[in-house]
Amino acid sequence: MTRPSPEDYFSDWKQRESLAQEMIPVVGKLYSERNVGVFIYGRPLHNRSVTNIMKSHRFVRQVGRNEMSEFESHPVLMALAKLDLWHCQIDLGKLTVKYMELQQDKGADAPSVDDYVKEEMTSLAGDKTPPSAKSQDIVLYGFGRIGRLIARLLIERTSTGGVMRLRAVVVRPGKEGDLIKRASLFTSDSVHGAFQGTVRIDEENNCLICNGNVVHIIYANNPDSIDYTDYDIDDALIIDNTGKWRDEAGLSLHLQSKGASKVMLTAPGKGDLKNIVYGINHDQISPDDKIITAASCTTNAIAPVLKVLNDKFGIVGGHVETVHAYTNDQNLIDNYHSGNRRGRSAALNMVLTETGAAKAVVKAVPELAGKLTGNAVRVPVPNVSMAILALNLETSTTKEEINEFLRLLALHSPLQNQISYTQDPDAVSSDFVGTREAATVDSTATIVDDKRCVLYLWYDNEFGYCNQVVRMVYKMAGVNYRTYPVAG
């Protein structure tokens, strides 16, 4: 699947730019009117700019090592738009590449793009079955770094509103002007940039209107003191992102509030609570679960890669060192802190601290019990962290074999949303701000010596983790989209 280099690169780019512009309203209409999500190798196209759409194509050309461009995907998208598609998720990139391979194989005997797409969509076209029995009400308990990013993601995914809606945010009682401050922090973010939409402040009803979504701001000191039905919220899934309550007894307080039915914690849980890493053990979530936890950002970053490496090569033992962005738990300047070292200035120091991620991985990948140690160093960057996996394997291998194994997983496996891949030799941490995968393998940094290997994983410890949480929200809410290709 190769194309000759264009004689006029500028003209080629402008043509592809024009095609991407034409794709935006088509993708938007499919999403907002029919709840059809369109993706390029797992990367969503709805609510994306022309440049972002073109960069998604570029990612496929670089990592997928084929020549798929807007010239190839545009006619496939237009053929999709002609069909009676509802409530599904379609990977336009994979659909297009399959057609390119068919054209290369059959030449003039290949079917037309309309006939090809119609045939591939046979199982989806005409089926209007919604992905869930009813729309799930969501409440965010807490509105800090994680809460605000989850809110952005939930609002982005509202679609027709018939699947899931963010209905409220619960915060501690504030002073006069609190609502305006909350809105400002939501719309403007020093790391992740401006909210892609509009926010209107309704002070009379104490609401934020975010892209048309009415989000009630509820003031409360305790999770068991709220009547959500007063806000027309019922059977709500509460996402606790405060980290204040981490055991079953504490998190169960949410369930005492009228209108709440389930709780998800955005931190590692204590005791016998299910710690879930989406993509690895999310099949353990059952309809009867009232409380689950989403583990930590680091556990979500390392568990998928450790799982597949153990399955393929066997892990005898190893060490996980996390080079982690500083967090709000640390002090900006030297001041008292109950934890060791964390009282020293986060902006001026590398701070050695502990991490429970290596041990927490065992809850998602039990076969690694007793095989891993872990530690962490907090460094003076506000976001994006790195996990360094130093492993002893059962099987001899090479850098090329491990990298190729992980590259293919990033493109063609059910873990494409958990494992991404870069071969950029100049990649640095800021390049991964806003990445939606749980972690990205830095392939040029991989070190292998017989049965020993060292892997470097970049991860947006804020936004990437929040994407994992939202994937779990869909699972816990019983949302099941029909997909192309069929989900593995």
Side-chain angles (χ1 to χ4, degrees):
M1 293 184 293
T2 59
R3 286 190 298 121
S5 296
E7 294 181 5
D8 184 343
Y9 281 99
F10 182 72
S11 175
D12 176 81
W13 194 89
K14 296 302 289 185
Q15 290 178 57
R16 291 189 289 108
E17 180 186 42
S18 178
L19 291 173
Q21 288 173 334
E22 291 179 12
M23 294 169 75
I24 288 176
V26 177
V27 170
K29 189 172 183 178
L30 284 169
Y31 189 67
S32 62
E33 295 183 5
R34 302 191 202 172
N35 194 25
V36 175
V38 180
F39 301 80
I40 295 282
Y41 279 72
R43 300 181 172 209
L45 297 190
H46 51 273
N47 296 324
R48 294 294 174 272
S49 68
V50 168
T51 302
N52 283 334
I53 290 175
M54 296 180 76
K55 287 176 72 174
S56 294
H57 285 76
R58 179 66 173 163
F59 167 79
V60 176
R61 291 197 297 275
Q62 288 180 322
V63 178
R65 300 172 186 170
N66 61 55
E67 286 302 315
M68 186 195 77
S69 74
E70 297 78 4
F71 290 117
E72 287 74 37
S73 64
H74 179 276
V76 175
L77 176 64
M78 297 306 154
L80 280 172
K82 298 174 184 177
L83 301 179
D84 188 26
L85 297 169
W86 295 82
H87 306 300
C88 57
Q89 296 184 340
I90 299 170
D91 198 306
L92 174 66
K94 295 185 178 181
L95 181 63
T96 300
V97 168
K98 186 174 179 181
Y99 185 52
M100 292 168 66
E101 293 172 343
L102 186 65
Q103 287 178 308
Q104 187 176 47
D105 182 48
K106 294 195 173 184
D109 294 329
S112 69
V113 64
D114 283 347
D115 288 343
Y116 162 76
V117 171
K118 184 177 181 180
E119 176 66 25
E120 291 294 305
M121 295 295 115
T122 299
S123 64
L124 299 180
D127 189 345
K128 296 186 178 182
T129 306
S132 57
K134 65 174 184 175
S135 180
Q136 174 70 61
D137 287 347
I138 305 292
V139 173
L140 288 170
Y141 196 93
F143 207 44
R145 297 295 300 152
I146 299 301
R148 293 194 294 271
L149 290 176
I150 292 175
R152 288 187 176 195
L153 286 168
L154 290 172
I155 291 166
E156 173 190 294
R157 299 185 184 195
T158 298
S159 184
T160 60
V163 176
M164 185 173 298
R165 294 281 291 273
L166 174 61
R167 301 297 309 281
V169 172
V170 181
V171 293
R172 288 175 294 183
K175 299 178 181 178
E176 184 177 353
D178 180 84
L179 190 63
I180 296 173
K181 291 286 188 183
R182 302 283 181 186
S184 177
L185 283 169
F186 176 69
T187 56
S188 302
D189 191 291
S190 299
V191 172
H192 300 281
F195 169 63
Q196 297 302 302
T198 62
V199 176
R200 178 177 178 179
I201 300 173
D202 183 349
E203 292 190 83
E204 181 179 352
N205 296 298
N206 217 57
C207 296
L208 299 180
I209 316 300
C210 308
N211 289 1
N213 290 265
V214 178
V215 181
H216 297 277
I217 305 299
I218 302 172
Y219 295 106
N221 286 312
N222 298 296
D224 57 349
S225 61
I226 307 162
D227 186 345
Y228 291 110
T229 62
D230 286 344
Y231 305 89
D232 196 29
I233 298 171
D234 194 28
D235 198 28
L237 169 56
I238 313 298
I239 304 176
D240 188 325
N241 56 91
T242 66
K244 184 175 180 180
W245 300 276
R246 294 176 58 185
D247 59 11
E248 185 173 7
L251 293 168
S252 293
L253 294 173
H254 288 288
L255 301 176
Q256 297 179 29
S257 285
K258 190 175 180 181
S261 64
K262 295 183 178 182
V263 183
M264 180 183 296
L265 170 67
T266 61
K270 296 180 179 180
D272 295 328
L273 291 175
K274 290 182 179 178
N275 278 267
I276 303 296
V277 174
Y278 194 90
I280 299 300
N281 65 336
H282 63 271
D283 58 331
Q284 294 180 12
I285 301 176
S286 73
D288 297 328
D289 284 327
K290 296 295 184 182
I291 303 172
I292 63 169
T293 77
S296 70
C297 57
T298 302
T299 304
N300 274 267
I302 65 177
V305 174
L306 288 169
K307 166 67 174 172
V308 297
L309 287 177
N310 189 60
D311 289 347
K312 174 72 173 178
F313 301 101
I315 294 176
V316 176
H319 178 78
V320 178
E321 191 71 26
T322 304
V323 183
H324 202 290
Y326 61 73
T327 68
N328 195 49
D329 174 65
Q330 296 171 255
N331 289 331
L332 187 61
I333 59 174
D334 290 357
N335 206 350
Y336 176 81
H337 194 292
S338 59
N340 294 335
R341 308 181 203 253
R342 294 196 184 195
R344 303 298 297 277
S345 171
L348 296 175
N349 294 289
M350 293 190 293
V351 179
L352 184 64
T353 186
E354 71 284 344
T355 176
K359 293 182 179 178
V361 163
V362 174
K363 290 194 174 183
V365 192
E367 53 267 36
L368 293 178
K371 295 184 177 182
L372 299 173
T373 57
N375 218 352
V377 180
R378 298 285 179 91
V379 295
V381 295
N383 184 42
V384 179
S385 302
M386 170 183 281
I388 305 171
L389 312 182
L391 306 172
N392 295 317
L393 306 175
E394 294 176 358
T395 306
S396 297
T397 185
T398 64
K399 175 178 178 176
E400 292 73 22
E401 183 182 14
I402 281 187
N403 279 346
E404 182 64 5
F405 171 65
L406 293 172
R407 184 185 74 86
L408 292 174
L409 283 173
L411 289 168
H412 304 295
S413 81
L415 291 174
Q416 69 175 16
N417 289 321
Q418 285 68 51
I419 301 174
S420 189
Y421 186 92
T422 182
Q423 50 202 27
D424 183 357
D426 290 319
V428 294
S429 61
S430 60
D431 297 334
F432 300 93
V433 173
T435 49
R436 293 172 180 253
E437 297 83 7
T440 301
V441 177
D442 192 326
S443 63
T444 64
T446 300
I447 300 170
V448 179
D449 182 7
D450 194 24
K451 295 182 179 181
R452 294 185 297 118
C453 78
V454 183
L455 291 172
Y456 295 81
L457 310 180
W458 297 102
Y459 60 105
D460 186 325
N461 49 279
E462 295 183 332
F463 195 66
Y465 175 67
C466 288
N467 274 271
Q468 282 287 87
V469 171
V470 171
R471 292 174 188 125
M472 285 178 54
V473 168
Y474 275 71
K475 176 68 176 179
M476 198 173 188
V479 177
N480 292 296
Y481 279 99
R482 292 169 292 115
T483 64
Y484 178 93
V486 177

